Amino acid sequence: MAMASDDTFRLDADVVDYTIVALYFAVVLGIGLLARRQVSSSIDFFLSGRSLPAWVTGLAFISANLGAVEIMGMSANGAEFGMATVHYFWIGAVPAMLFLGIVMMPFYYGSKVRSVPEFMRKRFGTGAHLVNALSFAIAQLLIAGINLYLLATIVNRLLGWPLWVSLVVAAAIVLSYTALGGLSAAIYNEVLQFFVIVAALLPLTIVALNKVGGWQGIQDKVKPDGEQLSSWPGTDLTGIDNPVLSVIGIVFGLGFVLSFGYWTTNFVEVQRAMASSSISAARRAPIIGAFPKMFVPFIVIVPGVIAAIIIPELADLKGGGKGDGVTYNDAILLLMRDLLPNGMLGVAIAGLMASFMAGMAANISAFNTVFSYDLWQQYVVMDREDGYYTWIGRIATVGATVVAIGTAGIASQYDNLMNYLQVLFGFFNAPLFATFILGMFWKRMTAAAGWTGLVSGTAAAIVVAILSEDALGGASVGVLGISGQGASFVAAGAAFVVDVLVSVVVSTRTRPRVESELKGLVYSLTPKESLTDPDEGTLPWYQSPTKLAGIGLVLVIVLNVIFW
Amino acid sequence: MNDQTPETRHTAGAFDIRVIIGALLGVFGLILLGMGLFNASDAELDKADGLNINLWSGIGLVAAGVAFVVWARLRPIVVPSDPAS
């Protein structure tokens, strides 16, 4: 998506559509103001006072992830690769979300840490902590830029403002409610955003299905062949020609390393669950979120698949033509342009804006927590009063927004946003997951192993990305014959393996920490009671994390079988 | 803001997001209903192959909005009894 693609097409909005969008923004800012009245300490600002019910944090949990990447990136993948894209949900998200709720959340919530990097510091000391906090903070700024860029694209298409004006205005809106209300404002808006996004995409999907002639119509017309409608082995998606290796790439690279790395250690997500009111609510948050997550593909990927059939430009692009300057990322926008009447168009525009704001606000609110607690309070200015750090958090929010405007420019140079992001996640998250899982279950692992594992794992991912054909755009040299999403899966896998190897070797040569310091942080040294809710036995089935997770697992297996 | 648990410091979740969601979806629904009933030109209907999406989405959104408000009325926010910290 180049900056120049701004004037390829425009959405034909009228006064009704603008009214709907304006109403939505009024409510968003209103939530920011309401939430501000309740912010009285830094825990309020950064963790919502740990007081939110599980359905709120659960929906916020997926809404934070339902940003630009998800909507535009996944519908683009749907248009280009077909139903194999569901792997990003059913293999690449749901199992990891259930795992987070069942296995890892008790450590995060039970140890009373305020952020994921803080857990890292308690377990491994400052070396690993600094690496983690810095890399996370930088990643958030980059990803916030992508969300911001797409938000600005919508404003540009809608109002015809120049892209840079759209960027600044969009940034100002996100800034105003995150800086005012902190995490509460971000989370409440995310819950609202979730419903607005569904209200936008569900009717769009229904109209598109009606237009193409239902599922039968898709089966008859999909190009190049019916392969596009089966999820396995997904050779188009991975870019790995050998079906066996492609399946291994999806299961190990995406399903295990990338997805577990993302969902279980990414503070953007974990922060939402940490804002819950009890340990069982915190465990339920990702599990509750897993249910809607399973069905998001039907309103994101299916429209993408249909767009590639009924939108002339996209059909042309897929057939090898130039597509009149559009890209797969435009799939949803083109459907809106061609199918929706005024009125519904306004709701759809509001939904897309909601999505990109949700994504960006999530990045920014996670960034300001890590910046304030983990970088500023830990390394720069220690031992000040609580209000000082809330103030720093607000300053960090402003700073992050300004930087995001700059990173939006970087995002604009990449053709397929998904690749770009997968590469980033590979660099930061895959080794993180290896280090966390080793650290939580292997008490012998040392502090030195913590940071050396992370650094070497990340380095391995960068090396693979540079050697691949296109994972890092112009910086890749093409020595390894892998490209596209497959390159990301391989880079993530390499990061994981190298991290584990280095951690084990370094651990055997350095002195382990005293066991009493690791209570609450390592499984074998933590009393069972502190990892579970004392009342859990009395909870009804729909509030029990393990029973809910079991139901979720069965459902996702059924979905995989249906769309084999 | 109604304070449900006076003995704790404060309740960060006191304003009910369900009412806000219900109201917004309901208003969106009414606007779409109006558009679907009174402003559905043939040209617009043709876009979606004759499906009056404004009308149907409007009905769906109003129903969703009412459901949220009813839910908030029937089960008002209860801050769970186990203390946060």
Side-chain angles (χ1 to χ4, degrees), chain A residues 100 104 108 115-117 120 132 136 257-270 428-437 440:
Chain A
L100 170 65
M104 295 179 76
Y108 288 140
S115 70
V116 169
M120 198 60 129
N132 181 198
F136 177 79
V257 180
L258 271 179
S259 134
F260 278 64
Y262 176 78
W263 291 99
T264 64
T265 66
N266 189 333
F267 183 53
V268 177
E269 302 302 332
V270 176
F428 298 123
N429 285 330
L432 207 52
F433 173 59
T435 300
F436 265 98
I437 207 75
M440 278 180 181

PDB file of all heavy atoms in Angstrom, chain A residues 100 104 108 115-117 120 132 136 257-270 428-437 440:
ATOM      1  N   LEU A 100      -3.277 -19.711  27.644  1.00  0.00           N
ATOM      2  CA  LEU A 100      -3.010 -18.552  28.502  1.00  0.00           C
ATOM      3  C   LEU A 100      -3.921 -18.562  29.721  1.00  0.00           C
ATOM      4  O   LEU A 100      -3.480 -18.370  30.852  1.00  0.00           O
ATOM      5  CB  LEU A 100      -3.210 -17.252  27.709  1.00  0.00           C
ATOM      6  CG  LEU A 100      -3.194 -15.952  28.513  1.00  0.00           C
ATOM      7  CD1 LEU A 100      -1.822 -15.717  29.133  1.00  0.00           C
ATOM      8  CD2 LEU A 100      -3.574 -14.756  27.642  1.00  0.00           C
ATOM      9  N   MET A 104      -1.003 -20.078  32.083  1.00  0.00           N
ATOM     10  CA  MET A 104      -0.102 -18.966  32.397  1.00  0.00           C
ATOM     11  C   MET A 104      -0.710 -17.852  33.226  1.00  0.00           C
ATOM     12  O   MET A 104      -0.026 -17.213  34.010  1.00  0.00           O
ATOM     13  CB  MET A 104       0.490 -18.422  31.098  1.00  0.00           C
ATOM     14  CG  MET A 104       1.376 -19.477  30.453  1.00  0.00           C
ATOM     15  SD  MET A 104       2.105 -18.989  28.909  1.00  0.00           S
ATOM     16  CE  MET A 104       3.403 -17.883  29.425  1.00  0.00           C
ATOM     17  N   TYR A 108       0.722 -14.864  36.137  1.00  0.00           N
ATOM     18  CA  TYR A 108       0.683 -13.412  35.947  1.00  0.00           C
ATOM     19  C   TYR A 108      -0.163 -12.738  37.019  1.00  0.00           C
ATOM     20  O   TYR A 108       0.252 -11.781  37.660  1.00  0.00           O
ATOM     21  CB  TYR A 108       0.090 -13.063  34.575  1.00  0.00           C
ATOM     22  CG  TYR A 108       0.977 -13.362  33.406  1.00  0.00           C
ATOM     23  CD1 TYR A 108       0.459 -13.896  32.231  1.00  0.00           C
ATOM     24  CD2 TYR A 108       2.341 -13.068  33.443  1.00  0.00           C
ATOM     25  CE1 TYR A 108       1.254 -14.148  31.137  1.00  0.00           C
ATOM     26  CE2 TYR A 108       3.142 -13.323  32.351  1.00  0.00           C
ATOM     27  CZ  TYR A 108       2.599 -13.859  31.201  1.00  0.00           C
ATOM     28  OH  TYR A 108       3.384 -14.104  30.119  1.00  0.00           O
ATOM     29  N   SER A 115       2.929  -5.864  34.881  1.00  0.00           N
ATOM     30  CA  SER A 115       3.124  -5.991  33.442  1.00  0.00           C
ATOM     31  C   SER A 115       3.867  -7.287  33.176  1.00  0.00           C
ATOM     32  O   SER A 115       4.452  -7.882  34.089  1.00  0.00           O
ATOM     33  CB  SER A 115       3.928  -4.810  32.895  1.00  0.00           C
ATOM     34  OG  SER A 115       5.265  -4.912  33.342  1.00  0.00           O
ATOM     35  N   VAL A 116       3.848  -7.720  31.925  1.00  0.00           N
ATOM     36  CA  VAL A 116       4.576  -8.931  31.561  1.00  0.00           C
ATOM     37  C   VAL A 116       6.088  -8.751  31.751  1.00  0.00           C
ATOM     38  O   VAL A 116       6.749  -9.622  32.320  1.00  0.00           O
ATOM     39  CB  VAL A 116       4.219  -9.373  30.125  1.00  0.00           C
ATOM     40  CG1 VAL A 116       5.158 -10.455  29.640  1.00  0.00           C
ATOM     41  CG2 VAL A 116       2.779  -9.856  30.073  1.00  0.00           C
ATOM     42  N   PRO A 117       6.655  -7.630  31.326  1.00  0.00           N
ATOM     43  CA  PRO A 117       8.092  -7.448  31.597  1.00  0.00           C
ATOM     44  C   PRO A 117       8.419  -7.489  33.090  1.00  0.00           C
ATOM     45  O   PRO A 117       9.492  -7.947  33.482  1.00  0.00           O
ATOM     46  CB  PRO A 117       8.388  -6.065  31.007  1.00  0.00           C
ATOM     47  CG  PRO A 117       7.391  -5.894  29.934  1.00  0.00           C
ATOM     48  CD  PRO A 117       6.141  -6.583  30.430  1.00  0.00           C
ATOM     49  N   MET A 120       9.055 -10.848  34.052  1.00  0.00           N
ATOM     50  CA  MET A 120      10.393 -11.167  33.560  1.00  0.00           C
ATOM     51  C   MET A 120      11.455 -10.712  34.552  1.00  0.00           C
ATOM     52  O   MET A 120      12.414 -11.426  34.834  1.00  0.00           O
ATOM     53  CB  MET A 120      10.572 -10.437  32.224  1.00  0.00           C
ATOM     54  CG  MET A 120      11.663 -10.949  31.373  1.00  0.00           C
ATOM     55  SD  MET A 120      11.351 -12.648  30.975  1.00  0.00           S
ATOM     56  CE  MET A 120      11.542 -12.631  29.253  1.00  0.00           C
ATOM     57  N   ASN A 132      13.307  -7.243  27.228  1.00  0.00           N
ATOM     58  CA  ASN A 132      11.889  -7.442  26.993  1.00  0.00           C
ATOM     59  C   ASN A 132      11.122  -6.123  26.944  1.00  0.00           C
ATOM     60  O   ASN A 132      10.352  -5.859  26.023  1.00  0.00           O
ATOM     61  CB  ASN A 132      11.337  -8.361  28.099  1.00  0.00           C
ATOM     62  CG  ASN A 132       9.860  -8.674  27.941  1.00  0.00           C
ATOM     63  OD1 ASN A 132       9.221  -9.102  28.874  1.00  0.00           O
ATOM     64  ND2 ASN A 132       9.299  -8.464  26.764  1.00  0.00           N
ATOM     65  N   PHE A 136       9.494  -4.695  23.538  1.00  0.00           N
ATOM     66  CA  PHE A 136       8.039  -4.577  23.532  1.00  0.00           C
ATOM     67  C   PHE A 136       7.614  -3.144  23.226  1.00  0.00           C
ATOM     68  O   PHE A 136       6.741  -2.894  22.394  1.00  0.00           O
ATOM     69  CB  PHE A 136       7.454  -5.003  24.880  1.00  0.00           C
ATOM     70  CG  PHE A 136       5.962  -4.826  24.969  1.00  0.00           C
ATOM     71  CD1 PHE A 136       5.121  -5.758  24.394  1.00  0.00           C
ATOM     72  CD2 PHE A 136       5.419  -3.716  25.589  1.00  0.00           C
ATOM     73  CE1 PHE A 136       3.741  -5.588  24.441  1.00  0.00           C
ATOM     74  CE2 PHE A 136       4.038  -3.539  25.642  1.00  0.00           C
ATOM     75  CZ  PHE A 136       3.210  -4.477  25.070  1.00  0.00           C
ATOM     76  N   VAL A 257       4.677 -21.624  17.884  1.00  0.00           N
ATOM     77  CA  VAL A 257       5.605 -20.562  18.286  1.00  0.00           C
ATOM     78  C   VAL A 257       4.997 -19.167  18.165  1.00  0.00           C
ATOM     79  O   VAL A 257       4.922 -18.415  19.148  1.00  0.00           O
ATOM     80  CB  VAL A 257       6.899 -20.625  17.446  1.00  0.00           C
ATOM     81  CG1 VAL A 257       7.837 -19.524  17.878  1.00  0.00           C
ATOM     82  CG2 VAL A 257       7.556 -21.973  17.608  1.00  0.00           C
ATOM     83  N   LEU A 258       4.541 -18.814  16.980  1.00  0.00           N
ATOM     84  CA  LEU A 258       4.040 -17.449  16.787  1.00  0.00           C
ATOM     85  C   LEU A 258       2.818 -17.180  17.651  1.00  0.00           C
ATOM     86  O   LEU A 258       2.731 -16.158  18.324  1.00  0.00           O
ATOM     87  CB  LEU A 258       3.657 -17.242  15.325  1.00  0.00           C
ATOM     88  CG  LEU A 258       4.755 -16.740  14.412  1.00  0.00           C
ATOM     89  CD1 LEU A 258       4.219 -16.624  12.993  1.00  0.00           C
ATOM     90  CD2 LEU A 258       5.272 -15.384  14.880  1.00  0.00           C
ATOM     91  N   SER A 259       1.867 -18.121  17.607  1.00  0.00           N
ATOM     92  CA  SER A 259       0.621 -17.851  18.286  1.00  0.00           C
ATOM     93  C   SER A 259       0.774 -17.888  19.805  1.00  0.00           C
ATOM     94  O   SER A 259       0.302 -16.991  20.497  1.00  0.00           O
ATOM     95  CB  SER A 259      -0.416 -18.849  17.786  1.00  0.00           C
ATOM     96  OG  SER A 259      -1.129 -19.409  18.823  1.00  0.00           O
ATOM     97  N   PHE A 260       1.478 -18.878  20.325  1.00  0.00           N
ATOM     98  CA  PHE A 260       1.674 -18.902  21.777  1.00  0.00           C
ATOM     99  C   PHE A 260       2.521 -17.707  22.202  1.00  0.00           C
ATOM    100  O   PHE A 260       2.290 -17.109  23.237  1.00  0.00           O
ATOM    101  CB  PHE A 260       2.301 -20.225  22.223  1.00  0.00           C
ATOM    102  CG  PHE A 260       1.296 -21.330  22.365  1.00  0.00           C
ATOM    103  CD1 PHE A 260       0.596 -21.781  21.265  1.00  0.00           C
ATOM    104  CD2 PHE A 260       1.020 -21.882  23.596  1.00  0.00           C
ATOM    105  CE1 PHE A 260      -0.352 -22.782  21.387  1.00  0.00           C
ATOM    106  CE2 PHE A 260       0.064 -22.891  23.740  1.00  0.00           C
ATOM    107  CZ  PHE A 260      -0.614 -23.335  22.636  1.00  0.00           C
ATOM    108  N   GLY A 261       3.513 -17.369  21.381  1.00  0.00           N
ATOM    109  CA  GLY A 261       4.337 -16.205  21.688  1.00  0.00           C
ATOM    110  C   GLY A 261       3.496 -14.948  21.755  1.00  0.00           C
ATOM    111  O   GLY A 261       3.604 -14.144  22.680  1.00  0.00           O
ATOM    112  N   TYR A 262       2.625 -14.801  20.767  1.00  0.00           N
ATOM    113  CA  TYR A 262       1.818 -13.585  20.728  1.00  0.00           C
ATOM    114  C   TYR A 262       0.822 -13.526  21.876  1.00  0.00           C
ATOM    115  O   TYR A 262       0.783 -12.569  22.638  1.00  0.00           O
ATOM    116  CB  TYR A 262       1.074 -13.489  19.386  1.00  0.00           C
ATOM    117  CG  TYR A 262       0.156 -12.299  19.330  1.00  0.00           C
ATOM    118  CD1 TYR A 262       0.668 -11.029  19.090  1.00  0.00           C
ATOM    119  CD2 TYR A 262      -1.203 -12.429  19.585  1.00  0.00           C
ATOM    120  CE1 TYR A 262      -0.164  -9.923  19.072  1.00  0.00           C
ATOM    121  CE2 TYR A 262      -2.035 -11.330  19.570  1.00  0.00           C
ATOM    122  CZ  TYR A 262      -1.517 -10.084  19.322  1.00  0.00           C
ATOM    123  OH  TYR A 262      -2.329  -8.989  19.326  1.00  0.00           O
ATOM    124  N   TRP A 263      -0.007 -14.572  21.984  1.00  0.00           N
ATOM    125  CA  TRP A 263      -1.135 -14.472  22.912  1.00  0.00           C
ATOM    126  C   TRP A 263      -0.734 -14.595  24.370  1.00  0.00           C
ATOM    127  O   TRP A 263      -1.420 -14.090  25.250  1.00  0.00           O
ATOM    128  CB  TRP A 263      -2.193 -15.525  22.573  1.00  0.00           C
ATOM    129  CG  TRP A 263      -2.878 -15.220  21.284  1.00  0.00           C
ATOM    130  CD1 TRP A 263      -2.590 -15.773  20.069  1.00  0.00           C
ATOM    131  CD2 TRP A 263      -3.922 -14.267  21.058  1.00  0.00           C
ATOM    132  NE1 TRP A 263      -3.404 -15.213  19.111  1.00  0.00           N
ATOM    133  CE2 TRP A 263      -4.222 -14.296  19.688  1.00  0.00           C
ATOM    134  CE3 TRP A 263      -4.627 -13.394  21.891  1.00  0.00           C
ATOM    135  CZ2 TRP A 263      -5.198 -13.488  19.119  1.00  0.00           C
ATOM    136  CZ3 TRP A 263      -5.603 -12.598  21.324  1.00  0.00           C
ATOM    137  CH2 TRP A 263      -5.881 -12.645  19.958  1.00  0.00           C
ATOM    138  N   THR A 264       0.340 -15.331  24.665  1.00  0.00           N
ATOM    139  CA  THR A 264       0.634 -15.567  26.073  1.00  0.00           C
ATOM    140  C   THR A 264       1.641 -14.590  26.669  1.00  0.00           C
ATOM    141  O   THR A 264       1.726 -14.473  27.877  1.00  0.00           O
ATOM    142  CB  THR A 264       1.178 -16.993  26.308  1.00  0.00           C
ATOM    143  OG1 THR A 264       2.416 -17.112  25.633  1.00  0.00           O
ATOM    144  CG2 THR A 264       0.209 -18.029  25.802  1.00  0.00           C
ATOM    145  N   THR A 265       2.398 -13.895  25.843  1.00  0.00           N
ATOM    146  CA  THR A 265       3.386 -12.985  26.426  1.00  0.00           C
ATOM    147  C   THR A 265       3.182 -11.539  26.000  1.00  0.00           C
ATOM    148  O   THR A 265       3.834 -10.649  26.505  1.00  0.00           O
ATOM    149  CB  THR A 265       4.824 -13.359  26.004  1.00  0.00           C
ATOM    150  OG1 THR A 265       4.944 -13.149  24.600  1.00  0.00           O
ATOM    151  CG2 THR A 265       5.129 -14.796  26.328  1.00  0.00           C
ATOM    152  N   ASN A 266       2.263 -11.326  25.057  1.00  0.00           N
ATOM    153  CA  ASN A 266       2.072  -9.965  24.579  1.00  0.00           C
ATOM    154  C   ASN A 266       1.286  -9.170  25.616  1.00  0.00           C
ATOM    155  O   ASN A 266       0.121  -9.456  25.893  1.00  0.00           O
ATOM    156  CB  ASN A 266       1.301 -10.004  23.262  1.00  0.00           C
ATOM    157  CG  ASN A 266       1.259  -8.649  22.604  1.00  0.00           C
ATOM    158  OD1 ASN A 266       1.330  -7.619  23.272  1.00  0.00           O
ATOM    159  ND2 ASN A 266       1.156  -8.642  21.307  1.00  0.00           N
ATOM    160  N   PHE A 267       1.924  -8.172  26.151  1.00  0.00           N
ATOM    161  CA  PHE A 267       1.298  -7.442  27.247  1.00  0.00           C
ATOM    162  C   PHE A 267       0.032  -6.711  26.817  1.00  0.00           C
ATOM    163  O   PHE A 267      -0.863  -6.470  27.622  1.00  0.00           O
ATOM    164  CB  PHE A 267       2.307  -6.483  27.882  1.00  0.00           C
ATOM    165  CG  PHE A 267       1.755  -5.750  29.064  1.00  0.00           C
ATOM    166  CD1 PHE A 267       1.175  -6.444  30.108  1.00  0.00           C
ATOM    167  CD2 PHE A 267       1.811  -4.374  29.136  1.00  0.00           C
ATOM    168  CE1 PHE A 267       0.647  -5.773  31.200  1.00  0.00           C
ATOM    169  CE2 PHE A 267       1.291  -3.697  30.219  1.00  0.00           C
ATOM    170  CZ  PHE A 267       0.711  -4.391  31.253  1.00  0.00           C
ATOM    171  N   VAL A 268      -0.072  -6.374  25.530  1.00  0.00           N
ATOM    172  CA  VAL A 268      -1.309  -5.741  25.054  1.00  0.00           C
ATOM    173  C   VAL A 268      -2.497  -6.619  25.428  1.00  0.00           C
ATOM    174  O   VAL A 268      -3.524  -6.137  25.904  1.00  0.00           O
ATOM    175  CB  VAL A 268      -1.284  -5.561  23.521  1.00  0.00           C
ATOM    176  CG1 VAL A 268      -2.592  -4.974  23.045  1.00  0.00           C
ATOM    177  CG2 VAL A 268      -0.137  -4.684  23.108  1.00  0.00           C
ATOM    178  N   GLU A 269      -2.340  -7.928  25.209  1.00  0.00           N
ATOM    179  CA  GLU A 269      -3.428  -8.847  25.506  1.00  0.00           C
ATOM    180  C   GLU A 269      -3.516  -9.131  26.992  1.00  0.00           C
ATOM    181  O   GLU A 269      -4.576  -9.028  27.599  1.00  0.00           O
ATOM    182  CB  GLU A 269      -3.205 -10.170  24.754  1.00  0.00           C
ATOM    183  CG  GLU A 269      -3.096 -10.011  23.245  1.00  0.00           C
ATOM    184  CD  GLU A 269      -4.331  -9.364  22.647  1.00  0.00           C
ATOM    185  OE1 GLU A 269      -5.416  -9.517  23.226  1.00  0.00           O
ATOM    186  OE2 GLU A 269      -4.205  -8.690  21.605  1.00  0.00           O
ATOM    187  N   VAL A 270      -2.378  -9.505  27.572  1.00  0.00           N
ATOM    188  CA  VAL A 270      -2.375  -9.928  28.966  1.00  0.00           C
ATOM    189  C   VAL A 270      -2.858  -8.799  29.885  1.00  0.00           C
ATOM    190  O   VAL A 270      -3.548  -9.037  30.879  1.00  0.00           O
ATOM    191  CB  VAL A 270      -0.965 -10.407  29.379  1.00  0.00           C
ATOM    192  CG1 VAL A 270      -0.918 -10.758  30.848  1.00  0.00           C
ATOM    193  CG2 VAL A 270      -0.567 -11.617  28.540  1.00  0.00           C
ATOM    194  N   PHE A 428      10.068 -10.503  18.205  1.00  0.00           N
ATOM    195  CA  PHE A 428       9.917 -10.156  19.615  1.00  0.00           C
ATOM    196  C   PHE A 428       9.265 -11.252  20.451  1.00  0.00           C
ATOM    197  O   PHE A 428       9.642 -11.494  21.577  1.00  0.00           O
ATOM    198  CB  PHE A 428       9.107  -8.872  19.763  1.00  0.00           C
ATOM    199  CG  PHE A 428       9.768  -7.690  19.133  1.00  0.00           C
ATOM    200  CD1 PHE A 428       9.135  -6.944  18.163  1.00  0.00           C
ATOM    201  CD2 PHE A 428      11.055  -7.333  19.507  1.00  0.00           C
ATOM    202  CE1 PHE A 428       9.761  -5.853  17.577  1.00  0.00           C
ATOM    203  CE2 PHE A 428      11.694  -6.240  18.922  1.00  0.00           C
ATOM    204  CZ  PHE A 428      11.039  -5.508  17.960  1.00  0.00           C
ATOM    205  N   ASN A 429       8.262 -11.897  19.888  1.00  0.00           N
ATOM    206  CA  ASN A 429       7.441 -12.766  20.717  1.00  0.00           C
ATOM    207  C   ASN A 429       7.879 -14.217  20.774  1.00  0.00           C
ATOM    208  O   ASN A 429       7.728 -14.859  21.803  1.00  0.00           O
ATOM    209  CB  ASN A 429       5.981 -12.712  20.274  1.00  0.00           C
ATOM    210  CG  ASN A 429       5.312 -11.431  20.713  1.00  0.00           C
ATOM    211  OD1 ASN A 429       5.672 -10.867  21.737  1.00  0.00           O
ATOM    212  ND2 ASN A 429       4.375 -10.958  19.945  1.00  0.00           N
ATOM    213  N   ALA A 430       8.382 -14.731  19.661  1.00  0.00           N
ATOM    214  CA  ALA A 430       8.710 -16.154  19.652  1.00  0.00           C
ATOM    215  C   ALA A 430       9.766 -16.511  20.703  1.00  0.00           C
ATOM    216  O   ALA A 430       9.553 -17.430  21.495  1.00  0.00           O
ATOM    217  CB  ALA A 430       9.142 -16.595  18.264  1.00  0.00           C
ATOM    218  N   PRO A 431      10.892 -15.785  20.767  1.00  0.00           N
ATOM    219  CA  PRO A 431      11.858 -16.118  21.811  1.00  0.00           C
ATOM    220  C   PRO A 431      11.304 -15.844  23.209  1.00  0.00           C
ATOM    221  O   PRO A 431      11.640 -16.560  24.163  1.00  0.00           O
ATOM    222  CB  PRO A 431      13.054 -15.208  21.508  1.00  0.00           C
ATOM    223  CG  PRO A 431      12.564 -14.167  20.599  1.00  0.00           C
ATOM    224  CD  PRO A 431      11.389 -14.733  19.872  1.00  0.00           C
ATOM    225  N   LEU A 432      10.431 -14.867  23.311  1.00  0.00           N
ATOM    226  CA  LEU A 432       9.851 -14.529  24.605  1.00  0.00           C
ATOM    227  C   LEU A 432       9.071 -15.712  25.170  1.00  0.00           C
ATOM    228  O   LEU A 432       9.173 -16.061  26.343  1.00  0.00           O
ATOM    229  CB  LEU A 432       8.908 -13.345  24.399  1.00  0.00           C
ATOM    230  CG  LEU A 432       8.657 -12.425  25.564  1.00  0.00           C
ATOM    231  CD1 LEU A 432       9.960 -11.950  26.143  1.00  0.00           C
ATOM    232  CD2 LEU A 432       7.835 -11.238  25.092  1.00  0.00           C
ATOM    233  N   PHE A 433       8.277 -16.330  24.286  1.00  0.00           N
ATOM    234  CA  PHE A 433       7.486 -17.476  24.732  1.00  0.00           C
ATOM    235  C   PHE A 433       8.407 -18.602  25.203  1.00  0.00           C
ATOM    236  O   PHE A 433       8.159 -19.218  26.241  1.00  0.00           O
ATOM    237  CB  PHE A 433       6.575 -17.951  23.592  1.00  0.00           C
ATOM    238  CG  PHE A 433       5.857 -19.229  23.903  1.00  0.00           C
ATOM    239  CD1 PHE A 433       5.004 -19.315  24.993  1.00  0.00           C
ATOM    240  CD2 PHE A 433       6.039 -20.348  23.110  1.00  0.00           C
ATOM    241  CE1 PHE A 433       4.332 -20.489  25.279  1.00  0.00           C
ATOM    242  CE2 PHE A 433       5.375 -21.530  23.395  1.00  0.00           C
ATOM    243  CZ  PHE A 433       4.526 -21.603  24.476  1.00  0.00           C
ATOM    244  N   ALA A 434       9.482 -18.854  24.455  1.00  0.00           N
ATOM    245  CA  ALA A 434      10.419 -19.913  24.843  1.00  0.00           C
ATOM    246  C   ALA A 434      10.986 -19.628  26.237  1.00  0.00           C
ATOM    247  O   ALA A 434      11.028 -20.499  27.108  1.00  0.00           O
ATOM    248  CB  ALA A 434      11.541 -20.017  23.810  1.00  0.00           C
ATOM    249  N   THR A 435      11.389 -18.385  26.458  1.00  0.00           N
ATOM    250  CA  THR A 435      11.991 -18.017  27.738  1.00  0.00           C
ATOM    251  C   THR A 435      10.983 -18.114  28.882  1.00  0.00           C
ATOM    252  O   THR A 435      11.287 -18.622  29.958  1.00  0.00           O
ATOM    253  CB  THR A 435      12.568 -16.587  27.640  1.00  0.00           C
ATOM    254  OG1 THR A 435      13.559 -16.574  26.620  1.00  0.00           O
ATOM    255  CG2 THR A 435      13.171 -16.149  28.951  1.00  0.00           C
ATOM    256  N   PHE A 436       9.755 -17.659  28.625  1.00  0.00           N
ATOM    257  CA  PHE A 436       8.736 -17.712  29.674  1.00  0.00           C
ATOM    258  C   PHE A 436       8.399 -19.134  30.065  1.00  0.00           C
ATOM    259  O   PHE A 436       8.296 -19.473  31.233  1.00  0.00           O
ATOM    260  CB  PHE A 436       7.449 -17.029  29.202  1.00  0.00           C
ATOM    261  CG  PHE A 436       7.372 -15.609  29.624  1.00  0.00           C
ATOM    262  CD1 PHE A 436       7.734 -14.608  28.753  1.00  0.00           C
ATOM    263  CD2 PHE A 436       6.953 -15.267  30.891  1.00  0.00           C
ATOM    264  CE1 PHE A 436       7.666 -13.283  29.136  1.00  0.00           C
ATOM    265  CE2 PHE A 436       6.890 -13.938  31.281  1.00  0.00           C
ATOM    266  CZ  PHE A 436       7.250 -12.949  30.397  1.00  0.00           C
ATOM    267  N   ILE A 437       8.195 -19.969  29.049  1.00  0.00           N
ATOM    268  CA  ILE A 437       7.717 -21.303  29.344  1.00  0.00           C
ATOM    269  C   ILE A 437       8.817 -22.102  30.043  1.00  0.00           C
ATOM    270  O   ILE A 437       8.557 -22.844  30.995  1.00  0.00           O
ATOM    271  CB  ILE A 437       7.157 -21.969  28.069  1.00  0.00           C
ATOM    272  CG1 ILE A 437       6.120 -23.000  28.430  1.00  0.00           C
ATOM    273  CG2 ILE A 437       8.207 -22.560  27.174  1.00  0.00           C
ATOM    274  CD1 ILE A 437       4.809 -22.434  28.844  1.00  0.00           C
ATOM    275  N   MET A 440       9.009 -20.680  33.645  1.00  0.00           N
ATOM    276  CA  MET A 440       7.899 -21.014  34.530  1.00  0.00           C
ATOM    277  C   MET A 440       7.958 -22.463  34.994  1.00  0.00           C
ATOM    278  O   MET A 440       7.408 -22.803  36.039  1.00  0.00           O
ATOM    279  CB  MET A 440       6.559 -20.772  33.821  1.00  0.00           C
ATOM    280  CG  MET A 440       6.103 -19.326  33.839  1.00  0.00           C
ATOM    281  SD  MET A 440       4.524 -19.158  32.980  1.00  0.00           S
ATOM    282  CE  MET A 440       4.243 -17.390  33.133  1.00  0.00           C
TER     283      MET A 440
END
